[in-house]
Amino acid sequence: MQHNSESMLKKDIGTIVAMSIVIGSVIGSGIFMKPGKVISASGDSTMALWAWILGGLITIASGLTIVELATQIPKTGGLYVYLEEVYGKLWGYLCGWVQTLIYGPAVIAALGLYFGSLVAHFFGWGPETKLYIGIGTIVFLAVVNSIGTKYGGFVQTLATAGKLIPIALIAIFGIWQGDGQILNMASGVTEKTGMAAAILATLWAYDGWLLVGFVAGEMKNPAKILPRAIIIGLSVVTVAYISVNIAMLHVLPASEIAKLGENAAGTTATILFGGIGGKLISIGIMVSIFGCLNGKILTFPRVPLAMAERGQLPFSRLLSQVQPDLGTPIFATVFQVVLALLMMFVADPDRLSDIAIFAIYVFYILAFVAIFILRKKNSAALRTYSVPGYPIIPLVAIVGSGFIVISTIFDNPTDTLLALIITVIGLPIYWVLNCKSLASAKQEG
């Protein structure tokens, strides 16, 4: 029997808190790491700014759509549970499988490599050191989160300041003091990969919006507060991202931003604020990514843990174990971290982040389509929240995301094929484990 935890939750989240949850869960590493990649892919500064705007619009439409799903299916587990509820066990399982084997480890690996690159650049160490710094940081955070030390809150508070201060300072002072040309500046890259690849890179920076649906049950009036928090929160993020890009283009030529890659934001800060100021901003950016990485290592193992508890993964008995003394899923954490470390040896962070976003957006599209299925199925049911501008907003989310997924398959067939193969490998494993559980249920019966 399922307890209605919804009625037990205190409904005291207002618009400001909900908005800060949206902003806090979206802003991570992308705004500092991706401007160079977006310019390289799009070919010039004007198209790069359009990529950030379109990425923001797709994200706002996605956020507004997914919340109706979250309020219609008020269960914990996010995407995994929504798909299982609408499409059946197999699709929920495949979503969890992809989150466990591709999305989670690729995100952790990419963040580790970005962090390593920034630390190496900051201290003037060789580029070969970034891999080892990234590995050391991931292992350190995995150990800390497994021990269950209650330092997480402090790190997350520091990280929030760490990400908002550099964004504000670079945006304000770059726009105010810079004098470079912003529009129609060539990237200097001979091989541009196109607009879809540019928008895909921005979606890494916007990812995290899925968390907004989780707090719907604790809002005073979700029908009013949720859309307001998503529209204002994600608009603030979009404006912040575009402002930082304009500021950077004001300070550095587009070709230089493309060449510097993940070190462009730090270089911009050094030009604007001098050696010491630039170093302080760079530390703020590193703190932001460190906090983001800490949050991912803390939360991502919960997906394989939930799957293992249902017997849906090989070695489920081991992966479902929670250490009684520490209260942490050590084996699920180790599993995610080992996969992340393996990925760090074989791919660069931009490639890993693209694979992660491609893999998860395939399932996001299924979730957006689920709105139409639920509306038809529960036409008489009372909704606490409805997508504003239905059916236009969900269609924007579906078409925008579909364009990115299909274009990525054509632009990058090797990585997308690999992601799809890993997804399909999940099918025989699902059937084998299902047969085993049915056989053991018969024996018990």
Side-chain angles (χ1 to χ4, degrees), residues 36 102 118 130 191 211 218-219 241 294 318 340 375 414 443:
I102 304 172
L118 290 183
K130 73 176 184 183
E191 271 187 56
L211 299 172
E218 293 158 77
M219 288 181 184
Y241 285 3
N294 178 59
L318 188 69
R375 285 263 182 130
T414 314
Q443 278 177 353

Side-chain angles (χ1 to χ4, degrees), residues 8-334:
M8 290 149 64
L9 293 168
K10 276 189 176 176
K11 295 186 184 291
D12 54 8
I13 291 182
T15 305
I16 301 295
V17 176
M19 216 166 67
S20 67
I21 291 169
V22 173
I23 295 167
S25 53
V26 169
I27 295 177
S29 66
I31 182 52
F32 307 119
M33 301 291 101
K34 289 294 185 182
K37 172 78 191 283
V38 176
I39 289 172
S40 299
S42 59
D44 71 67
S45 56
T46 307
M47 295 312 285
L49 291 173
W50 272 112
W52 286 100
I53 292 165
L54 292 169
L57 291 173
I58 291 170
T59 305
I60 291 168
S62 303
L64 289 169
T65 304
I66 216 82
V67 170
E68 183 172 320
L69 211 55
T71 51
Q72 291 270 72
I73 306 165
K75 295 178 182 178
T76 49
L79 197 59
Y80 173 64
V81 172
Y82 306 153
L83 297 186
E84 185 177 83
E85 196 80 5
V86 178
Y87 299 104
K89 266 192 169 167
L90 176 64
W91 286 102
Y93 161 83
L94 276 181
C95 174
W97 173 260
V98 166
Q99 282 179 292
T100 298
L101 267 87
I102 304 172
Y103 178 71
V107 168
I108 292 168
L111 287 170
L113 287 168
Y114 283 139
F115 183 76
S117 176
L118 290 183
V119 172
H121 183 74
F122 184 82
F123 289 107
W125 297 335
E128 69 284 350
T129 58
K130 73 176 184 183
L131 175 64
Y132 304 105
I133 297 162
I135 289 170
T137 307
I138 288 173
V139 170
F140 167 74
L141 286 173
V143 169
V144 168
N145 278 300
S146 296
I147 292 167
T149 313
K150 300 286 182 283
Y151 92 115
F154 176 66
V155 169
Q156 292 314 119
T157 309
L158 250 183
T160 304
K163 56 190 165 191
L164 297 178
I165 292 167
I167 286 173
L169 290 175
I170 290 172
I172 294 162
F173 284 90
I175 291 168
W176 177 31
Q177 293 186 345
D179 57 1
Q181 190 182 326
I182 293 164
L183 299 176
N184 302 314
M185 294 298 287
S187 67
V189 177
T190 47
E191 271 187 56
K192 63 171 190 171
T193 43
M195 206 55 183
I199 298 169
L200 181 74
T202 71
L203 293 177
W204 166 264
Y206 288 113
D207 199 38
W209 52 265
L210 190 69
L211 299 172
V212 298
F214 294 179
V215 289
E218 293 158 77
M219 288 181 184
K220 292 170 186 170
N221 182 351
K224 268 190 180 168
I225 291 171
L226 262 177
R228 209 181 289 161
I230 290 165
I231 292 167
I232 299 170
L234 290 175
S235 298
V236 167
V237 171
T238 307
V239 169
Y241 285 3
I242 293 161
S243 304
V244 168
N245 276 277
I246 290 170
M248 286 170 72
L249 287 162
H250 236 338
V251 175
L252 289 167
S255 56
E256 192 65 17
I257 295 170
K259 198 164 79 183
L260 283 163
E262 54 253 40
N263 296 310
T267 305
T268 305
T270 306
I271 293 167
L272 286 171
F273 306 108
I276 294 171
K279 281 202 176 342
L280 287 173
I281 299 287
S282 294
I283 289 167
I285 295 170
M286 285 189 275
V287 169
S288 167
I289 295 173
F290 186 81
C292 186
L293 187 54
N294 178 59
K296 306 297 186 199
I297 290 171
L298 176 72
T299 53
F300 283 165
R302 269 63 186 168
V303 176
L305 178 73
M307 290 187 79
E309 281 170 350
R310 298 170 179 215
Q312 290 186 329
L313 286 174
F315 311 108
S316 280
R317 195 168 288 178
L318 188 69
L319 292 171
S320 64
Q321 281 183 31
V322 173
Q323 291 305 105
D325 307 340
L326 307 170
T328 55
I330 286 186
F331 294 109
T333 303
V334 167

